[in-house]
């Protein structure tokens, strides 16, 4: 079906053609690239492209993108829950620490109990603090920014938990550390089971 005639479009195209004929080497002003049709809808004149259709296609692409993103979030949540992982992010410049809650799929607020490096360090068992600090310093100095550490953490109820942590330091264009992003896994059960398994092994030998 042929496109319905639009006098405003024809007039806009005529102005555009006249400008190109008179000034073929000059950039076309933005005012000549669009016009308002008889229904009050803005359209592009260069190709006669219908911006309403473009908006619809863009909306469909955005909706598909959001659907894929939500599915990826669900997959991430399932993976984190299955592996019992805790994600963390330390903004080194602002000294702000956030932890990823797998149940809520959100980062904990910056005013939480582990909101800074010193707050995290205070929660580390006193026998592990110096080694933990050294592991952090080595990661910040490492050109590849690799971080690894295994520490004991004192919980709010006074109990002790073991965590194995790995991360990666991100740097700015000048090479200065910007943030440390990583994961921590609770290995308390494995640590508690080790003495018993070693004892059984010695009994067998």
């Amino acid at each position: 079906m042929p496109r319905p005639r639009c006098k405003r479009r024809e007039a806009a195209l005529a102005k555009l053609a006249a400008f190109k004929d008179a000034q073929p080497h000059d950039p076309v002003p933005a005012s000549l690239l669009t016009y308002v049709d008889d229904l009050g809808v803005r359209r592009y004149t260069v190709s006669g492209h219908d911006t309403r259709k473009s908006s619809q296609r863009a909306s469909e692409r955005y909706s598909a993108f959001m659907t894929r993103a939500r599915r990826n979030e669900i997959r991430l949540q399932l993976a984190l829950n299955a592996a019992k992982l805790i994600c963390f992010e330390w903004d080194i410049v602002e000294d702000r620490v956030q932890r990823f809650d797998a149940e809520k799929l959100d980062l904990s607020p910056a005013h939480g109990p582990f909101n800074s490096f010193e707050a995290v360090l205070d929660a580390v068992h006193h026998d592990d603090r110096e080694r933990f600090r050294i592991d952090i310093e080595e990661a910040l100095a490492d050109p590849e920014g690799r971080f690894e550490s295994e520490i004991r953490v004192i919980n709010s109820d006074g109990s002790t938990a073991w965590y194995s942590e790995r991360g990666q330091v991100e740097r700015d264009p000048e090479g200065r550390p910007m943030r440390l992003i990583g994961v921590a896994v609770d290995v308390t059960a494995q640590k508690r089971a080790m003495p018993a398994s070693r004892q059984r092994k010695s009994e067998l030998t």
Side-chain angles (χ1 to χ4, degrees), residues 183-197:
V183 294
V185 58
D186 189 333
V187 294
T188 305
Q190 295 91 314
K191 288 292 183 179
R192 290 176 178 172
M194 283 178 62
S197 63

Side-chain angles (χ1 to χ4, degrees), residues 55-164:
S55 298
Q56 181 180 357
R57 286 194 293 268
S59 177
E60 291 172 351
R61 287 195 297 268
Y62 177 76
S63 177
F65 169 79
M66 293 302 296
T67 298
R68 290 194 299 270
R70 178 55 185 164
R71 289 173 180 169
N72 288 336
E73 285 183 351
I74 293 174
R75 295 187 186 102
L76 175 61
Q77 181 182 24
L78 293 173
L80 290 176
N81 285 334
K84 296 182 179 180
L85 289 175
I86 298 173
C87 296
F88 61 86
E89 178 178 324
W90 176 32
D91 184 329
I92 300 171
V93 178
E94 300 292 336
D95 190 22
R96 182 173 60 248
V97 177
Q98 293 179 290
R99 298 176 66 187
F100 190 87
D101 188 337
E103 303 238 343
K104 298 179 181 178
L105 277 176
D106 195 6
L107 286 169
S108 63
H111 57 267
F114 305 105
N115 63 335
S116 68
F117 175 74
E118 289 301 324
V120 173
L121 193 62
D122 287 342
V124 176
H125 192 283
H126 59 83
D127 289 341
D128 297 342
R129 288 177 187 171
E130 185 60 26
R131 178 170 51 79
F132 178 66
R133 187 190 293 274
I134 292 174
D135 290 341
I136 291 289
E137 292 176 351
E138 289 180 349
L140 298 181
D142 182 6
E144 297 184 3
R146 291 174 296 189
F147 166 70
E148 290 187 20
S149 189
E150 190 172 84
I151 55 174
R152 286 167 290 178
V153 174
I154 308 301
N155 297 320
S156 57
D157 59 1
S159 62
T160 302
W162 280 91
Y163 286 94
S164 178

